[in-house]
Coordinates of all heavy atoms in Angstrom, one line a residue:
N76 N 46.4 -5.3 48.9 CA 47.2 -5.2 50.1 C 46.9 -6.5 51.0 O 47.8 -7.0 51.6 CB 46.9 -4.0 50.9 CG 47.2 -2.7 50.0 OD1 46.4 -2.3 49.3 ND2 48.4 -2.2 50.1
V89 N 23.2 -2.1 57.1 CA 24.0 -3.3 57.3 C 24.5 -3.3 58.7 O 25.0 -2.3 59.2 CB 25.1 -3.4 56.3 CG1 26.1 -4.5 56.6 CG2 24.6 -3.5 54.8
P127 N 51.5 3.1 54.2 CA 51.8 1.9 55.1 C 50.7 1.6 56.0 O 50.1 2.6 56.6 CB 53.0 2.5 55.8 CG 53.5 3.6 55.1 CD 52.4 4.2 54.3
F170 N 31.7 1.2 62.1 CA 32.1 0.0 61.5 C 33.5 -0.5 62.0 O 33.8 -1.7 62.0 CB 32.1 0.1 60.0 CG 30.7 -0.2 59.4 CD1 29.8 0.9 59.4 CD2 30.3 -1.4 58.9 CE1 28.5 0.7 58.9 CE2 29.0 -1.6 58.4 CZ 28.1 -0.5 58.4
I182 N 41.4 15.8 56.2 CA 42.6 16.1 55.3 C 42.6 15.2 54.1 O 42.9 15.7 53.0 CB 43.9 16.1 56.1 CG1 45.1 16.6 55.3 CG2 44.2 14.7 56.7 CD1 45.1 18.0 55.0
T225 N 42.5 0.6 67.9 CA 41.2 0.2 68.3 C 41.2 -0.4 69.7 O 40.1 -0.7 70.3 CB 40.6 -0.8 67.3 OG1 41.6 -1.7 67.0 CG2 40.1 -0.1 66.1
S246 N 32.4 22.3 77.7 CA 32.0 21.1 76.9 C 33.3 20.5 76.2 O 33.3 19.3 76.0 CB 30.9 21.4 76.0 OG 31.3 22.4 75.1
Q304 N 58.6 24.0 68.5 CA 57.2 23.5 68.8 C 57.1 22.0 68.6 O 56.4 21.3 69.3 CB 56.2 24.3 68.0 CG 56.2 25.8 68.2 CD 56.1 26.2 69.6 OE1 55.3 25.8 70.4 NE2 57.1 27.0 70.0
C320 N 56.4 5.6 72.3 CA 57.0 4.3 72.7 C 58.5 4.4 72.5 O 59.0 5.4 71.9 CB 56.4 3.2 71.8 SG 56.8 3.3 70.1
P321 N 59.3 3.6 73.1 CA 60.8 3.7 73.1 C 61.3 3.9 71.7 O 62.3 4.6 71.5 CB 61.3 2.5 73.8 CG 60.2 2.0 74.7 CD 58.9 2.4 74.0
I329 N 67.4 10.8 67.9 CA 68.4 10.8 66.8 C 68.3 12.1 66.0 O 69.3 12.8 65.7 CB 68.3 9.6 65.9 CG1 68.5 8.3 66.7 CG2 69.3 9.6 64.8 CD1 68.0 7.0 66.0
G332 N 69.5 15.0 67.9 CA 70.9 15.0 68.0 C 71.6 15.6 66.7 O 72.6 16.2 66.8
I340 N 65.2 20.4 61.3 CA 64.5 21.6 61.8 C 63.7 21.2 63.1 O 63.7 21.8 64.1 CB 63.5 22.2 60.8 CG1 64.4 22.8 59.6 CG2 62.6 23.2 61.4 CD1 63.6 23.1 58.4
I368 N 71.7 8.6 58.5 CA 72.0 8.6 59.9 C 70.8 8.0 60.7 O 71.0 7.2 61.6 CB 72.3 10.1 60.4 CG1 73.5 10.7 59.7 CG2 72.5 10.1 61.9 CD1 73.7 12.1 60.0

Side-chain angles (χ1 to χ4, degrees):
N76 303 85
V89 170
F170 279 80
I182 188 67
T225 44
S246 57
Q304 300 310 308
C320 62
I329 298 165
I340 293 166
I368 300 175

